């Protein structure tokens, strides 16, 4: 509905913080009412009698109940139940028009898309430098790569690029290469969310069992030994 009806309103509000906040408040109220359609019912707690109270002297006799009053209370409660709204909210189905094309909304995000493409290019270049043993160039790009790992696209790009190098039988690394790749993987996993568990993290699993380095004749260390602490 926002996309269909409110794009003009959102554009008009740009730069006016108060209007934006009011709009967000309205949305929040709608969402809250949708989740909590009925006010909470207060429950009356009946206190339990204390232990040993039946042994007390001077107990007041239980008052005689008036049949008419009891019946009136029951009738009142029954009438309330009959007029109460149904326990499950009836679902109202409605058609929402498609609204303006997505391109119209995304126009302003052209710079963001260009930035995203540049970040992916930086990730690809850095990985290429590592595997080509151009460590000085890789070092220059490395801080930018770690920053780029905040974005999901960059994390996905990392798994794709590393996968390409595994397919080219370039999984056995020297110490410096191994260190660079491990730091990238750790940073990637650190920024992963629960949404990435079956995507990015799953894509890294075969890679961490492929990349390795020779510590001494007959002893090989695999990448998973350095990244296995991540949730």
């Amino acid at each position: 509905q926002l996309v269909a009806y409110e794009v003009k309103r959102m554009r008009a509000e740009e730069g006016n913080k108060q209007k934006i906040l009011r709009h967000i408040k309205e949305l929040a109220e709608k969402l809250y009412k949708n989740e909590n359609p009925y006010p909470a019912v207060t429950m009356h707690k009946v206190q339990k009698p204390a232990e040993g109270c039946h042994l007390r002297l001077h107990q007041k006799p239980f008052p005689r109940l008036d049949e008419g009053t009891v019946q009136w209370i029951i009738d009142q409660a029954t009438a309330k139940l009959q007029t109460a709204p149904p326990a499950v909210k009836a679902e109202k189905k409605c058609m929402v028009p498609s609204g303006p094309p997505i391109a119209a909304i995304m126009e302003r995000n052209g710079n963001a898309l260009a930035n995203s493409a540049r970040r992916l290019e930086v990730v690809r270049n850095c990985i290429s430098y590592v595997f080509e043993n151009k460590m000085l160039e890789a070092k220059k790009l490395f801080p930018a790569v770690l920053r780029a790992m905040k974005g999901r696209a960059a994390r996905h790009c990392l798994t794709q690029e590393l996968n390409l190098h595994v397919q080219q039988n370039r999984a056995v690394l020297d110490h410096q290469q191994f260190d660079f790749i491990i730091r990238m993987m750790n940073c990637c996993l650190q920024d992963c969310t629960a949404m990435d568990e079956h995507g990015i993290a799953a894509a890294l699993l075969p890679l961490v069992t492929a990349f390795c380095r020779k510590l001494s004749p007959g002893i090989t260390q695999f990448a998973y030994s350095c990244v296995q602490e991540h949730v």
Side-chain angles (χ1 to χ4, degrees):
Q1 282 174 332
L2 279 177
V3 170
Y5 301 128
E6 312 238 354
V7 174
K8 281 181 187 170
R9 179 180 170 181
M10 283 171 158
R11 282 188 180 159
E13 285 173 358
E14 267 180 14
N16 188 329
K17 277 189 181 177
Q18 285 180 325
K19 279 187 180 176
I20 292 170
L21 282 172
R22 192 164 68 238
H23 193 179
I24 291 169
K25 215 172 188 180
E26 285 169 18
L27 279 176
E29 277 171 17
K30 279 184 195 172
L31 290 168
Y32 182 80
K33 279 177 186 168
N34 187 55
E35 294 295 317
N36 307 280
Y38 307 116
V41 181
T42 51
M43 299 295 286
H44 296 290
K45 287 186 179 177
V46 181
Q47 288 185 333
K48 283 186 178 178
E51 281 180 32
C53 67
H54 61 285
L55 302 172
R56 285 186 201 147
L57 299 171
H58 313 299
Q59 277 192 349
K60 284 183 185 177
F62 191 79
R64 196 173 168 76
L65 297 178
D66 177 39
E67 196 178 330
T69 309
V70 172
Q71 190 57 51
W72 179 77
I73 292 168
I74 291 170
D75 292 343
Q76 290 274 85
T78 312
K80 264 187 192 171
L81 281 174
Q82 283 170 351
T83 56
V88 179
K89 196 177 173 186
E91 211 174 291
K92 286 181 188 173
K93 291 182 180 174
C94 63
M95 287 293 289
V96 177
S98 58
I102 294 295
I105 301 166
M106 296 298 279
E107 276 167 13
R108 296 166 299 159
N109 297 345
N111 289 341
L113 291 172
N115 282 343
S116 180
R118 276 199 294 276
R119 280 195 202 112
L120 300 190
E121 196 56 39
V122 167
V123 173
R124 288 194 193 99
N125 288 344
C126 187
I127 292 170
S128 296
Y129 290 148
V130 169
F131 283 96
E132 288 162 16
N133 257 322
K134 295 177 180 174
M135 290 307 171
L136 201 62
E137 281 89 341
K139 239 176 209 171
K140 285 176 191 170
L141 293 181
F142 203 63
V145 171
L146 297 188
R147 278 197 303 276
M149 286 299 138
K150 299 274 178 209
R152 198 153 190 259
R155 297 198 289 271
H156 188 61
C157 175
L158 176 77
T159 60
Q160 285 180 320
E161 289 297 307
L162 292 180
N163 196 39
L164 287 174
H165 288 288
V166 168
Q167 287 168 4
Q168 294 164 12
N169 292 328
R170 297 168 80 180
V172 181
L173 311 170
D174 67 26
H175 295 304
Q176 214 173 357
Q177 288 174 321
F178 188 80
D179 183 51
F180 268 91
I181 297 302
I182 289 300
R183 283 169 72 190
M184 282 187 205
M185 284 177 168
N186 268 321
C187 190
C188 176
L189 286 168
Q190 184 182 312
D191 289 316
C192 276
T193 62
M195 284 169 66
D196 297 321
E197 189 177 335
H198 304 294
I200 312 290
L204 275 177
L205 272 178
L207 299 173
V208 296
T209 57
F211 285 108
C212 61
R213 64 173 167 181
K214 300 279 182 199
L215 293 178
S216 62
I219 296 177
T220 305
Q221 181 187 17
F222 285 90
Y224 67 80
S225 63
C226 302
V227 300
Q228 59 193 8
E229 296 303 315
H230 293 278
V231 179

